[in-house]
Amino acid sequence: MKASIVREFGGGFSVADIDIAAPVGREVLVDVRASGLCHSDELAATHPLGYNPPMVLGHEVAGVVSAVGPDVTQVSVGDHVVGCLVQYCGTCRRCLEGKQTLCLNPSFTERSSDEAPRLSENGVAVAQGMGLGGFAQQVLVHEHQLAVVPDEVPWPQAALLGCGVVTGAGAVLNIADAQASDTVVIIGTGGVGLNALNGAVTAGVATIIAIDIADEKLERARSFGATHVINSATEDPVAAVLAITGVGADAVFDFVGLGPVTQQALQMVAPGGGLYLIGVLDPTATLTVSPVELLSMKRRVEGVYMGGTTAKRDIPLYARLYLEGRFELDSLVSKEISLSEVDEGYASLKDPTVARVVITDLA
C-alpha cells in the first residue's frame, strides 16, 4: 500500500510503498477513505513523542473494514468505522472504572516486540503512530480502537470524529459536565475548539463565550453557536469575560496552551468553577497558581486528555447527532487533499479561515 512516511524528525512527509501485515488475533484491516490532519501528528513528526522514524502517523481515520482477525467480535467486514487514538486494555482498574483514557496498559492494542511488525518497508519495521498510522491507504488496528458509525456519515466528517470532535465536545460534556445554566468560555476556536462549541450547544449552555485573535475564526465560532465573541488581540479578554458574566465563567477551556493565555484563563474562572487545559501549543508553558486562592475561591484546574472519551459510546453518539442536524461537522472540513500533500496541508492550517484538512484520495 501507499503511505506517507516520516523518515527523520523535521524532514517532512513523503509517500512510499510499504507492506502491511494480515490481521491476527483481534486485529482489523481497514481500507482508509479519509484521514484528518491533527497538530499532534505534526508535533510527533518533529519531536520524539514515543515514536521514532521511519514512521507512519495520522490518527483521525475513517474507512471500511476489509478483513478481520479470528478473534474479532466487535466489528465485521463491510462496517464503516472510525479509528480513535485512545488505546486501552479493558481489564485494568481504570478501564473497569470507565476511564479508558487512563488505561494502565495501553500497549495492549499493539503487537509485542517478538511479533512481526504490522508495517514494514523492505523488511525493516515502520512505526505505527498511536496504534493507527492513518496517513496510508490501509490501517491494521486492534478492534478496541475502532467505533462503528452509520454508513450515511460522509468520510471526511467521519474521520474528524476520532480525535478533534471527541476531544473538544468531550471536554465540555464528559469532563466539565456542562449544564444549561452554566457560563462557558472557549479559548481558541480552531478545529477542536469549534467542537467544544458543538458540545456546549448540545448541552444547552445559555452563555457561550468564544475567544480568539482572528476575526475570521470568531465569525465561524458564532455560526457554531457562540453567544459572545472576544478578540483578545484588540481587548482585554479577562475584563471582557467579567463584563459579560459579572463573576466569571463556570467552565473555561484553554485550547491554546501558551503560558500567558492560560494565566488569563485562570482569572476568568468564577468561584466554584473550573479551568480545563487541553491545548499544548507550548510544551514548556507553566501556570502560576495560588493554593490559597484556589481554596478560598473553590476553583479547580484540570488537565483533559481526549475529552475523557469512551470511543465506542461517544463516536456513534456524535455521528447520530450529526445525522439529525444537531451537531455541526460539515463546515469543519475546510480542505480535502491527496496523500502526497500532507506537508502542504499542515501549512494551510496556519490560515485562520481553515478549520480542518482531510486526506481523501486514498481509495
Side-chain angles (χ1 to χ4, degrees), residues 262 266 269 273-277 287 289 294 299-304:
T262 305
L266 182 59
V269 179
L275 169 60
Y276 302 93
L277 307 178
L287 174 65
V289 179
L294 291 184
R299 289 171 171 157
R300 60 190 177 278
V301 178
E302 184 172 352
V304 179

Side-chain angles (χ1 to χ4, degrees), residues 16-352:
D17 289 306
I18 67 171
D19 296 314
I20 187 166
V24 299
R26 299 177 68 183
E27 292 177 340
V28 179
L29 184 66
V30 179
D31 292 338
V32 179
R33 295 292 182 262
S35 189
L37 271 59
C38 177
H39 286 296
S40 298
D41 289 311
E42 185 180 28
L43 188 62
T46 55
H47 298 79
L49 299 180
Y51 307 99
N52 293 310
M55 56 187 173
V56 178
L57 301 172
H59 61 268
E60 288 188 338
V61 183
V64 182
V65 175
S66 60
V68 298
D71 301 324
V72 169
T73 62
Q74 299 169 7
V75 301
S76 301
V77 172
D79 281 347
H80 286 207
V81 292
V82 170
C84 183
L85 63 87
V86 176
Q87 299 174 254
Y88 66 94
C89 67
T91 58
C92 73
R93 178 168 63 91
R94 291 303 189 189
C95 285
L96 294 176
E97 292 171 346
K99 301 174 181 177
Q100 295 173 352
T101 56
L102 298 177
C103 176
L104 302 175
N105 184 28
S107 62
F108 175 85
T109 65
E110 301 175 359
R111 290 191 176 185
S112 62
S113 58
D114 60 353
E115 293 180 288
R118 288 176 178 168
L119 305 179
S120 60
E121 183 182 28
N122 299 321
V124 177
V126 175
Q128 181 187 34
M130 303 178 193
L132 289 165
F135 293 162
Q137 291 179 313
Q138 292 181 309
V139 294
L140 183 60
V141 58
H142 192 284
E143 64 178 334
H144 275 186
Q145 288 188 252
L146 297 173
V148 178
V149 296
D151 293 0
E152 295 81 5
V153 181
W155 292 122
Q157 287 83 337
L160 301 184
L161 290 167
C163 178
V165 172
V166 296
T167 298
V172 176
L173 297 172
N174 297 333
I175 304 301
D177 190 22
Q179 304 296 310
S181 59
D182 286 344
T183 297
V184 164
V185 172
I186 295 166
I187 304 174
T189 57
V192 183
L194 290 172
N195 281 296
L197 284 164
N198 268 329
V201 170
T202 299
V205 173
T207 303
I208 308 171
I209 304 169
I211 301 176
D212 209 296
I213 59 172
D215 288 332
E216 298 92 338
K217 289 186 175 182
L218 293 172
E219 187 61 32
R220 187 164 54 218
R222 281 195 185 277
S223 73
F224 270 72
T227 59
H228 302 75
V229 298
I230 299 167
N231 187 322
S232 57
T234 60
E235 61 179 313
D236 181 344
V238 177
V241 167
L242 293 177
I244 294 167
T245 63
V247 295
D250 299 295
V252 178
F253 301 89
D254 178 8
F255 290 97
V256 178
L258 288 173
V261 173
T262 305
Q263 205 69 53
Q264 287 181 327
L266 182 59
Q267 298 173 49
M268 300 173 190
V269 179
L275 169 60
Y276 302 93
L277 307 178
I278 303 101
V280 191
L281 194 57
D282 178 7
T284 67
T286 59
L287 174 65
T288 301
V289 179
S290 165
V292 173
E293 183 181 347
L294 291 184
L295 287 169
S296 62
M297 301 295 285
K298 299 180 178 60
R299 289 171 171 157
R300 60 190 177 278
V301 178
E302 184 172 352
V304 179
Y305 173 65
M306 286 297 294
T309 189
T310 298
K312 292 183 185 295
R313 174 198 67 191
D314 294 344
I315 290 175
L317 169 63
Y318 299 145
R320 188 169 73 249
L321 290 171
Y322 163 74
L323 291 175
E324 293 173 356
R326 296 192 287 154
F327 207 92
E328 177 55 50
L329 295 180
D330 293 338
S331 57
L332 284 173
V333 182
S334 304
K335 189 174 184 179
E336 297 183 30
I337 63 171
S338 68
L339 187 62
S340 63
E341 296 175 315
V342 175
D343 286 321
E344 293 85 349
Y346 275 117
S348 70
L349 285 173
K350 296 178 173 61
D351 182 343

